[in-house]
Amino acid sequence: MISTILITSFAIFLFLLIFLNFLSLPGNWAMAIVVLFSALFVPDNTYSWWFWIQFFSLLTIGEIAEFYLQIHQGKKVNASSSSNVMGIIGAIAGAFLGMPLFFGFGAILGTLAGAWIGSYFGERYLAQSEHQKAMEVAKASMVGKFLGILIKFSLGVYLVFYTAKTIFSAG
C-alpha cells in the first residue's frame, strides 16, 4: 500500500515538473534529472538500458521538435533563413520577457509572440519581403512553435506514464 502511494506521488511530482515547459523552463529535463535520481531508490533492474535509451531519445526528440517545427512551418511558406533565425531568437527573448506575467504563464504567450515578431522582423526587414509575405511567415513560425511546444509537452506526459508503469511493474 505504501509503495503504491509513493509511486503515485512520484508520478504526480513528475507530471507537475513537465508543466515547467509552459513557463519556458526545461520541464522535461527537470523530470529526467528526478527520474535519474530515483534510480538510487528503486529496486535494481527497475530501469533497464532499453528504458533509458527510449527515455532520453524521446526527450531529445521533444527538444528537436520544438525548434524544427517552427522552422519547418516557416519553410512551408518560403521563409528566409533570416526569418527562421530571428523567429527562434524572438521566441527565446519573448519567453524571458513574458515570464513575469500571469504567474509565469506569460512565458508561453511571450514565446509565441516572440516567434511571430522575430519572424516578421526577419522576413520584412532583413529579407526585405513585402508586408503580406512577412505576415504569412510570422504566422507560420508561431504555429510551428506552438505545435513544437505541444509535442514536447505530450512526450513529457508520455514519459511520466512510462516511468510510473516501469516502476509499478517492478514492484
Side-chain angles (χ1 to χ4, degrees):
M1 175 71 174
I2 189 73
S3 63
T4 302
I5 292 170
L6 283 173
I7 296 168
T8 303
S9 298
F10 180 67
I12 290 168
F13 180 66
L14 293 178
F15 188 70
L16 292 173
L17 284 176
I18 62 171
F19 274 97
L20 292 174
N21 289 317
F22 290 116
L23 302 176
S24 291
L25 295 171
N28 289 2
W29 290 99
M31 176 192 54
I33 290 168
V34 171
V35 172
L36 277 168
F37 185 69
S38 77
L40 299 172
F41 302 101
V42 296
D44 289 343
N45 300 323
T46 297
Y47 301 128
S48 67
W49 284 105
W50 182 239
F51 171 86
W52 292 118
I53 290 167
Q54 288 179 314
F55 191 90
F56 283 101
S57 294
L58 291 174
L59 276 177
T60 304
I61 288 168
E63 293 298 321
I64 291 169
E66 182 179 10
F67 292 102
Y68 171 77
L69 287 171
Q70 180 180 355
I71 292 168
H72 179 70
Q73 288 297 107
K75 289 293 183 185
K76 285 170 87 174
V77 293
N78 297 318
S80 66
S81 295
S82 304
S83 173
N84 285 325
V85 170
M86 292 303 292
I88 289 171
I89 292 170
I92 293 168
F96 284 111
L97 293 173
M99 199 173 292
L101 306 173
F102 309 117
F103 305 105
F105 288 100
I108 193 76
L109 299 174
T111 297
L112 297 174
W116 192 95
I117 292 166
S119 290
Y120 180 85
F121 178 83
E123 192 65 34
R124 180 76 173 107
Y125 298 107
L126 298 178
Q128 299 182 346
S129 296
E130 295 295 321
H131 168 74
Q132 196 59 34
K133 179 166 191 243
M135 293 283 286
E136 184 180 5
V137 166
K139 178 183 171 192
S141 179
M142 184 181 69
V143 167
K145 186 64 172 179
F146 176 76
L147 292 173
I149 290 169
L150 191 61
I151 287 173
K152 180 179 173 180
F153 179 76
S154 299
L155 286 171
V157 170
Y158 172 78
L159 288 171
V160 168
F161 286 105
Y162 180 52
T163 302
K165 178 184 157 277
T166 300
I167 297 171
F168 272 116
S169 297

